Structure formats: C-alpha cells, structure tokens
Amino acid sequence: MSFGQGGPQWGAGGGPTPDWAALAEETERRRARRKRWLLVGGGALATVAVAGIVAVAVVNEGGGKSSADPSSSLPTPEDIPSSPGQPEPSFKEDRPPAPPEDFIGDPQKDTAPLSTETLFPDETVTVNGRKYARAATDSAKKCTSGAQAGLGPVLEKNGCGRFFRATYERGGLAFTLGIAVFDSKAAASAVKAGYKPNVASLSGGGVPTYCRSVTCRTTVNALGRYAFFTIAGHTDGKPAGASDEQAKQVALDGSEFGYGRILQRGKDQSAAEASAR
C-alpha cells in the first residue's frame, strides 16, 4: 500500500517517521507565546513602580515632610542664638590737626605766649642757605614807635596792638624784621594793602644805625592776623638802590624768615591741641 505526498512516512524500523518541520514550527510558536507573556509581565511591574513614585510625590506636595526640602531643616532667624562673649567693636575718633592758619588768624585761639623770645628765639638763622646772626630785638605796645615815614598811621588806623622787631646781620648787610599784631586777619590784610614804607631799622649788637637817610630795600606781607615788614641795606651807610641785588636778596630773606616764624607759631599751637585730644 502506498500513500500520497503529505501522508505519514515510515522509517527503516517500520514505524512512522516524525514530521520534523511541523515540530519545529510548534516549538517556535511556544517560544513566541512565552516571550509575549514575559513582556506583559514586565510592563505590569514597570507600571506598579511608576505608580509608587507618583504616590510619593503626591504625599510630599500635599504638605508632608520631605527630606529633599532644604528650607524645612533650617531654624528661623529668631531661633539662631547670638554668639556669646563677643565684644562689640569700638572706634576711636582720629581727627587731623587743625590748620595752622586757624590759630594765627583768630585771637581767641592764638593764645600761646607772644614775645621777642618766642618770635626770635635763635641767635643765628639760616635762610635759603645763607646764615645770619641776630644783633638786636625790641617790642612795643605803641606800634608807631617802630615805624617811620608813612607806616605809622597805617598801623594805627587798623588797630595795631603790638609791634616786634629784630635785626639780623651778615657780611656788612643787615635786615630789620618788624611784626605787627592785630585783632583780625582782615586788619592785617588792610595794612598790607595800604602799606607805606617803612619799618624803622633797629641797631645794636654791633650793627650801627643804618637805612635812615639812604635808599634801602623794603618788603611787606601778611599772614593770619599778622602783618610783617623788612628793611635791608648796608651797615656802612652805602645806599642800596634798585640795582643792588645783594640788598634785595637780604630783604627777601628777612621776609621769608618772618613768614616762617609766624607760620611755625600756628603749627606749634595746632600740634599742642592735637596732642591734648
């Protein structure tokens, strides 16, 4: 007996031969079904995990305490204790010294001793590299006694209170410095503006009378409540005309020396006040 194609086949032992192709197809179908079940099962687990995360997030946003919230673990400013035992910083007020002009321009502040000893304390002085020897000093309450020509009336008109003079000599040339004291800076400035020569030369200490009847060089200036003047010339009576550069330089040295002495008075009083603070 014979069968058509597709029927059972017999092997050498007489039994039917397995249909290997059909068996392979069945095996592949089973493997595909198992894979689908695994995918379905994994998707379910993933869904559960996501649902759990959402649930936690909902609890936190609904007012529950969350460890991820940094502000919830910090104390309020009222709860932060101040550092005990820390001293408060202190500050010392350091003011710079007052300008010297504040003192020499105001009689209420310009209270340091005023005399020939305080104004002309040194026996020798050096001005612009030139050395001068002090020859004589003088002071007067009547300012006109130390003036000649037109200077006296100008001093008196503006209320001059004291007049100090000193003569310094160098190599046959001399200058007399006159310092007039007033009650205000304005009065001293008025004297400078209305100046008419000149201070009377002061003799003594080996310096004869000079600059009384011959031409000499003069200067005028003011600083604070002080006006000051110089007259300079030759001690042997020789005139010091416009072309006499030596006499001119001596007069300018005398004026610069006077400026420095008055300014130093202001500096000393300023320093004393600063030290007292």
Side-chain angles (χ1 to χ4, degrees), residues 2 10 36 44 46 56 65 71 80 92 102 108 116 121 131 135 150 187 190 216 231 243 247 249 272-273:
S2 64
W10 302 95
R36 283 196 301 272
V56 172
K65 294 293 182 179
S71 63
I80 300 176
K92 182 180 179 181
D102 286 1
Q108 299 299 319
T116 54
K131 188 176 181 179
C216 285
I231 186 167
S243 62
Q249 187 62 66
E273 183 193 61

Side-chain angles (χ1 to χ4, degrees), residues 7 14 20 32 40 43 59 63 65 73 75 87 113 145 154 168 189-190 197 208-209 255:
W20 298 111
V40 172
V59 170
K65 294 293 182 179
S73 62
S145 65
V154 176
Y168 293 83
S189 297
T209 300
S255 183

Side-chain angles (χ1 to χ4, degrees), residues 140-148 151-156 160 163 200:
K141 290 184 178 180
K142 187 174 178 60
C143 297
T144 55
S145 65
Q148 61 180 344
L151 180 59
V154 176
L155 296 176
E156 195 169 39
C160 177
F163 198 62

Side-chain angles (χ1 to χ4, degrees), residues 43-59:
L45 291 175
T47 302
V48 172
V50 171
I53 292 172
V54 172
V56 172
V58 170
V59 170

Side-chain angles (χ1 to χ4, degrees), residues 109-121 162 164 181 225-226 261 264-266 268-269 272:
K109 294 182 178 181
D110 188 16
T111 58
L114 183 60
S115 66
T116 54
E117 287 76 17
T118 60
L119 288 173
F120 318 117
R162 295 287 299 275
F164 300 90
V181 186
R225 66 189 190 107
Y226 299 86
R261 290 308 305 150
Q264 187 61 51
R265 177 176 174 81
D268 291 343
Q269 293 182 92

Side-chain angles (χ1 to χ4, degrees), residues 192-220:
K192 177 184 176 181
Y195 170 70
K196 293 179 180 180
N198 49 30
V199 59
S201 64
L202 178 65
S203 60
V207 175
T209 300
Y210 73 105
C211 289
R212 291 297 179 93
S213 59
V214 297
T215 302
C216 285
R217 308 305 297 264
T218 64
T219 68
V220 60

